[in-house]
Amino acid sequence: MDRDRILLTPGPLTTTLRTKLAMLHDWGSWDADFIAVTASLRRRLLAIVHGQDSHVLVPLQGSGTFSVEAAVATLVPPSEQGGHVLVLDNGAYCKRAGKLTQMMGRRCSVLGFAEDQPVSAEALDAKLHADPSVSHVILIHCETGAGVENPLAEVAAVCERHGKGLIVDAMSSFAALPIDARSVRFDALVAASGKCLEGVPGMGFVFIRKAVLERCAGNSQSLAMDLHDQHTYMEKTGQWRFTPPTHVVVALAEAISQFEELGGQPARLARYTDNCAVLVAGLSALGLRPYLKPQHQAPIIVTFHAPEHPAYDFKRFYDAARARGFLLYPGKLTQVETFRVGCIGAIGRNEMQQAVNAVAEALQDMGIPTGPPAL
Ligand SMILES: *Cc1c(COP(=O)(O)O)cnc(C)c1O
């Protein structure tokens, strides 16, 4: 097989040759050329959410979780100073956000929802009426655990009405689902290089609302995670505070150029929506059932029930699909046995159709019958 395996995962994901080729050079972090790349990256990322007037963009080294942790550390004051986070929890990434908030010693409450449902803005409204001590709400825009799209605009409106800060983990939705900072108010929104922008993994970034930025000074108990400090230094020098992931940064700049050339967020959403439709139709025809109702499904990653057949084993299934050039993703649900297939990355309907064929053959390898479910 003369091509890399297709990554049907929610990051890292399949990238274009052009993005990979951008990494073939060495860059000095102090050099004017690299400083210009960072500046243009920050400007272009802001434009994607129309946040030029309202927000600043602060990049951070590390995987996406590092930036979620940094956003909480930077925005939420210690509890003695009134910091109290409420996590809207409908899955694994919500639980991770709650855990990191707690581990930083911030006060943390959780409002729980079912894993196969979006979180409810009405329930949030009631909770904020009942407990006015909450200072910040954390919302995961697309809960990558099951693939649910959560109601960002509705949640943001409730937070604004109650005067609460909103921190959004938009890791797996940014650049694909629409997010408009002019109409949706958030204090921080977090995403990363290796998701829907189709860069390589290694850096995250956080949009911080200008109106709250000054109040963030001194909140962070961590030097490396302090986004206020990172921003102040970057404004002053154009440089990253500590060694930047230079190759990741230039690859992301190249990936954003392709994103812009291909029509930006609406075009990306259209391609992923098509990928998702081809996938769901193809696997449904094999008798595999999506876990979510279609109206809750974001076109990012699809959870399927594992086949109810004694011969099914995820590891064998994975290996059989891998041998055909496709990497699947294990399920992340606690109650039911599932597997996941990503719709994102530099892939289109041809790759999705090939992936469906690979799954069909993998099931045949294991002796599991395929075909539409018996009526
Ligand atoms: C990918 C992802 C993250 C970050 O995960 P990392 O492994 O740290 O990159 C956070 N939240 C969501 C919703 C994600 O999809």
Short mmCIF file of all heavy atoms in Angstrom, two decimals, residues 10-11 63-66 68 93 96 140 142-144 169-172 192 195, ligand 1:
data_model
loop_
_atom_site.label_atom_id
_atom_site.label_comp_id
_atom_site.label_asym_id
_atom_site.label_seq_id
_atom_site.Cartn_x
_atom_site.Cartn_y
_atom_site.Cartn_z
N PRO A 10 -10.66 11.18 15.82
CA PRO A 10 -10.88 12.62 16.03
C PRO A 10 -9.57 13.33 16.37
O PRO A 10 -9.51 14.13 17.28
CB PRO A 10 -11.85 12.64 17.19
CG PRO A 10 -11.51 11.43 17.99
CD PRO A 10 -10.96 10.41 17.04
N GLY A 11 -8.54 13.08 15.67
CA GLY A 11 -7.25 13.71 15.88
C GLY A 11 -6.29 12.77 16.59
O GLY A 11 -6.72 12.15 17.56
N SER A 63 -0.99 19.41 23.55
CA SER A 63 -2.23 18.88 22.95
C SER A 63 -3.40 19.76 23.39
O SER A 63 -3.24 20.68 24.20
CB SER A 63 -2.43 17.42 23.37
OG SER A 63 -3.16 17.33 24.57
N GLY A 64 -4.58 19.47 22.89
CA GLY A 64 -5.73 20.30 23.17
C GLY A 64 -6.07 20.44 24.64
O GLY A 64 -6.46 21.52 25.11
N THR A 65 -5.90 19.36 25.39
CA THR A 65 -6.23 19.38 26.81
C THR A 65 -5.40 20.42 27.56
O THR A 65 -5.87 21.04 28.51
CB THR A 65 -6.02 17.98 27.43
OG1 THR A 65 -6.80 17.04 26.68
CG2 THR A 65 -6.45 17.93 28.88
N PHE A 66 -4.14 20.61 27.11
CA PHE A 66 -3.29 21.61 27.75
C PHE A 66 -3.96 22.98 27.67
O PHE A 66 -3.90 23.78 28.62
CB PHE A 66 -1.91 21.68 27.07
CG PHE A 66 -1.03 20.48 27.30
CD1 PHE A 66 -1.45 19.20 26.99
CD2 PHE A 66 0.25 20.64 27.82
CE1 PHE A 66 -0.63 18.09 27.19
CE2 PHE A 66 1.08 19.54 28.02
CZ PHE A 66 0.64 18.27 27.70
N VAL A 68 -7.24 23.58 27.31
CA VAL A 68 -8.44 23.61 28.17
C VAL A 68 -8.01 23.91 29.60
O VAL A 68 -8.57 24.79 30.28
CB VAL A 68 -9.20 22.26 28.11
CG1 VAL A 68 -10.40 22.30 29.07
CG2 VAL A 68 -9.66 21.95 26.70
N TYR A 93 -15.36 13.95 27.55
CA TYR A 93 -14.54 15.16 27.53
C TYR A 93 -15.03 16.18 28.55
O TYR A 93 -14.24 16.96 29.08
CB TYR A 93 -14.49 15.75 26.11
CG TYR A 93 -13.67 14.89 25.19
CD1 TYR A 93 -14.26 13.84 24.48
CD2 TYR A 93 -12.29 15.08 25.06
CE1 TYR A 93 -13.49 13.01 23.66
CE2 TYR A 93 -11.53 14.26 24.25
CZ TYR A 93 -12.14 13.23 23.55
OH TYR A 93 -11.39 12.41 22.75
N ARG A 96 -13.50 15.08 31.73
CA ARG A 96 -12.09 15.47 31.77
C ARG A 96 -11.96 16.94 32.18
O ARG A 96 -11.10 17.30 32.99
CB ARG A 96 -11.44 15.25 30.39
CG ARG A 96 -9.94 15.47 30.43
CD ARG A 96 -9.33 15.44 29.02
NE ARG A 96 -9.39 14.13 28.41
CZ ARG A 96 -8.95 13.88 27.16
NH1 ARG A 96 -8.42 14.85 26.43
NH2 ARG A 96 -9.04 12.67 26.65
N ILE A 140 -18.80 21.73 26.40
CA ILE A 140 -18.09 21.06 25.31
C ILE A 140 -19.00 21.18 24.08
O ILE A 140 -20.11 20.66 24.10
CB ILE A 140 -17.81 19.57 25.64
CG1 ILE A 140 -17.26 19.40 27.06
CG2 ILE A 140 -16.91 18.96 24.58
CD1 ILE A 140 -15.92 19.97 27.33
N CYS A 142 -18.83 20.12 20.71
CA CYS A 142 -19.12 18.78 20.19
C CYS A 142 -18.51 17.80 21.17
O CYS A 142 -17.29 17.76 21.32
CB CYS A 142 -18.55 18.59 18.79
SG CYS A 142 -18.62 16.88 18.23
N GLU A 143 -19.33 17.02 21.87
CA GLU A 143 -18.83 16.02 22.83
C GLU A 143 -18.35 14.84 22.00
O GLU A 143 -19.13 14.02 21.52
CB GLU A 143 -19.96 15.67 23.80
CG GLU A 143 -19.67 14.81 25.00
CD GLU A 143 -18.24 14.60 25.47
OE1 GLU A 143 -17.53 13.80 24.83
OE2 GLU A 143 -17.84 15.17 26.49
N THR A 144 -17.03 14.78 21.82
CA THR A 144 -16.42 13.80 20.93
C THR A 144 -16.58 12.37 21.46
O THR A 144 -16.39 11.41 20.72
CB THR A 144 -14.93 14.15 20.75
OG1 THR A 144 -14.81 15.58 20.61
CG2 THR A 144 -14.35 13.51 19.51
N ASP A 169 -15.11 24.39 25.16
CA ASP A 169 -14.17 23.47 24.51
C ASP A 169 -14.77 23.17 23.13
O ASP A 169 -15.72 22.40 23.01
CB ASP A 169 -14.04 22.20 25.36
CG ASP A 169 -13.25 21.09 24.67
OD1 ASP A 169 -12.99 21.20 23.45
OD2 ASP A 169 -12.91 20.09 25.33
N ALA A 170 -14.22 23.86 22.13
CA ALA A 170 -14.71 23.68 20.75
C ALA A 170 -13.68 22.91 19.94
O ALA A 170 -13.55 23.09 18.72
CB ALA A 170 -14.99 25.04 20.11
N MET A 171 -12.95 22.04 20.65
CA MET A 171 -11.83 21.34 20.03
C MET A 171 -12.21 20.64 18.73
O MET A 171 -11.55 20.78 17.72
CB MET A 171 -11.32 20.30 21.03
CG MET A 171 -9.87 20.00 20.92
SD MET A 171 -8.88 21.36 21.51
CE MET A 171 -9.24 21.34 23.26
N SER A 172 -13.29 19.84 18.80
CA SER A 172 -13.61 19.01 17.64
C SER A 172 -14.64 19.68 16.73
O SER A 172 -15.06 19.09 15.74
CB SER A 172 -14.11 17.63 18.10
OG SER A 172 -15.29 17.75 18.84
N ALA A 192 -7.68 23.39 18.68
CA ALA A 192 -6.30 22.90 18.53
C ALA A 192 -5.95 22.70 17.06
O ALA A 192 -6.81 22.69 16.18
CB ALA A 192 -6.12 21.60 19.31
N LYS A 195 -7.21 19.21 14.61
CA LYS A 195 -8.60 18.75 14.46
C LYS A 195 -9.15 19.28 13.12
O LYS A 195 -8.54 19.05 12.10
CB LYS A 195 -9.41 19.17 15.66
CG LYS A 195 -8.84 18.60 16.97
CD LYS A 195 -9.68 17.49 17.56
CE LYS A 195 -9.01 16.89 18.79
NZ LYS A 195 -9.92 16.16 19.65
C1 LIG B 1 -9.63 16.17 21.00
C2 LIG B 1 -10.40 16.82 22.06
C3 LIG B 1 -9.76 17.41 23.17
C4 LIG B 1 -8.28 17.43 23.36
O1 LIG B 1 -7.71 16.18 23.41
P1 LIG B 1 -6.13 16.08 23.35
O2 LIG B 1 -5.93 14.60 23.31
O3 LIG B 1 -5.58 16.71 24.54
O4 LIG B 1 -5.69 16.77 22.10
C5 LIG B 1 -10.54 18.07 24.10
N1 LIG B 1 -11.87 18.13 23.97
C6 LIG B 1 -12.51 17.58 22.93
C7 LIG B 1 -14.00 17.73 22.84
C8 LIG B 1 -11.81 16.91 21.94
O5 LIG B 1 -12.44 16.37 20.89
#
